[in-house]
Amino acid sequence: MQYGYSSSNRVALVGYTVIPALLIGLVDVREIKRNTFTTAITGRTGISNRMEVEVKVPYVYRSDATVSREIFTGTAVERVFDTTGKGMGDVEVAGRYQLNNGGADKGYYIAGLRYKSRTGRDPFEVVTDCERRCIGENVTGTGLPLDLPTGSGFHSLQATLTWLYPSDPAVFFGNLSYVHNFKRDDVTRLVRNGEREPLGSLQPGAVLGFNFGMGLALNDKASLSLGYDHSTIGRMRQNGATSIGSVRTQLGTLLLGYSYRLSPKRSLNIAVGAGVTRDTPDVTLTLRLPMTF
């Protein structure tokens, strides 16, 4: 089970400046608060003493609230735009292979490959609050989704390389990853009145990521982990060119985790993540209950 919360502020200025201190036009201030709950069941099994495969099936509930106030329109009333979405997320299939034997004072290297499907509700299938279209001239509406998607809308493939180094009583770890998102052609966006706005071909940017940290044993049942995770997301491409308004995004998260062994076949893991860049969720809380059969 995972909970994530993020908030952001946006100020849009539409008008012209007479002098540096005077703006003639509209100032639109928006504050966005986002809550995401994800529950997932993951099954993992060993194929050999070096290889394992897993399948992850998530269920997602999302809730967004957009608080806006238009200045210079003769009102100081805040408007709230609420929207939610729930349903199955994107199912994932992964495999990992231990490349070497490792051992005391020797590192372990593990290669992994993960495929993410499009089983969740598509972002382009939810109704967007626009009349006939959301871009161009004579656009009406907020441009916000009336329902929230539960999936990314794109197939993706992730390659990873993990390094583990045991040094009693600590274990140091690190990970490098690369995510390739596959292009979609003839994409359309659903707007009000059941009409569709053509978007052409879309391909999200690739994601380069790394993380590192250490796990420290407190006793024979409890351990504490500290780490940092960072991802850089490339710019979206539309119809073969970089999409207007798309920028490279940096996501950085500080991680604190705690694990307690309840029994030889069951343990409890709790992790807290704190975002250190503006685009990262402010906080994430994850609870896992691994069970061995």
Side-chain angles (χ1 to χ4, degrees):
M1 299 180 64
Q2 184 178 66
Y3 167 73
Y5 171 79
S6 62
S7 63
S8 62
N9 297 319
R10 191 192 75 172
V11 179
L13 308 177
V14 182
Y16 59 93
T17 302
V18 178
I19 58 176
L22 179 61
L23 172 73
I24 304 300
L26 175 66
V27 180
D28 184 21
V29 182
R30 291 187 181 183
E31 181 181 11
I32 302 174
K33 300 180 182 294
R34 177 166 297 164
N35 295 273
T36 304
F37 299 86
T38 304
T39 300
I41 297 178
T42 302
R44 181 183 303 161
T45 185
I47 302 299
S48 67
N49 62 344
R50 288 199 177 194
M51 185 176 181
E52 66 180 15
V53 294
E54 73 173 35
V55 177
K56 179 180 179 180
V57 181
Y59 183 87
V60 180
Y61 174 81
R62 298 179 55 188
S63 174
D64 283 11
T66 302
V67 182
S68 62
R69 175 185 294 182
E70 294 182 352
I71 306 177
F72 302 149
T73 59
T75 180
V77 177
E78 291 184 342
R79 297 181 301 174
V80 179
F81 185 93
D82 287 317
T83 182
T84 61
K86 59 182 178 180
M88 179 181 288
D90 292 336
V91 174
E92 301 178 13
V93 178
R96 281 178 289 271
Y97 184 79
Q98 183 178 318
L99 300 175
N100 66 330
N101 289 326
D105 296 325
K106 293 182 181 179
Y108 292 84
Y109 295 91
I110 302 171
L113 194 65
R114 180 180 298 271
Y115 163 74
K116 187 189 68 62
S117 66
R118 283 175 42 199
T119 54
R121 193 177 185 190
D122 202 307
F124 309 105
E125 294 299 323
V126 299
V127 179
T128 305
D129 185 26
C130 297
E131 297 289 342
R132 288 194 291 273
R133 61 175 183 265
C134 295
I135 58 176
E137 300 179 355
N138 301 322
V139 175
T140 59
T142 64
L144 300 173
L146 300 180
D147 295 297
L148 294 178
T150 59
S152 69
F154 295 89
H155 295 282
S156 64
L157 194 64
Q158 180 187 42
T160 61
L161 178 63
T162 302
W163 169 75
L164 301 169
Y165 186 82
S167 179
D168 191 33
V171 175
F172 300 95
F173 61 86
N175 177 276
L176 295 174
S177 64
Y178 174 81
V179 179
H180 174 76
N181 292 294
F182 293 93
K183 181 175 67 172
R184 286 186 61 181
D185 295 319
D186 301 322
V187 180
T188 59
R189 173 166 46 193
L190 183 62
V191 297
R192 284 186 176 274
N193 302 321
E195 299 189 33
R196 288 195 167 271
E197 177 186 20
L199 299 176
S201 65
L202 296 176
Q203 182 175 17
V207 183
L208 293 172
F210 68 89
N211 64 58
F212 60 89
M214 62 171 287
L216 179 65
L218 302 178
N219 53 45
D220 61 340
K221 289 188 175 182
S223 64
L224 184 70
S225 63
L226 301 171
Y228 176 76
D229 182 86
H230 193 95
S231 297
T232 174
I233 305 175
R235 303 173 68 180
M236 169 78 77
R237 296 185 65 84
Q238 183 175 15
N239 297 322
T242 302
S243 177
I244 298 175
S246 175
V247 296
R248 180 171 291 274
T249 304
Q250 305 291 339
L251 304 178
T253 306
L254 288 175
L255 301 170
L256 173 64
Y258 175 78
S259 178
Y260 186 81
R261 189 179 63 172
L262 302 174
S263 69
K265 293 188 176 182
R266 185 175 302 173
S267 61
L268 178 67
N269 301 334
I270 300 175
V272 178
V276 296
T277 59
R278 293 190 61 182
D279 298 305
T280 312
D282 299 334
V283 63
T284 56
L285 179 62
T286 305
L287 174 68
R288 292 188 178 94
L289 185 65
M291 294 178 288
T292 303
F293 300 96

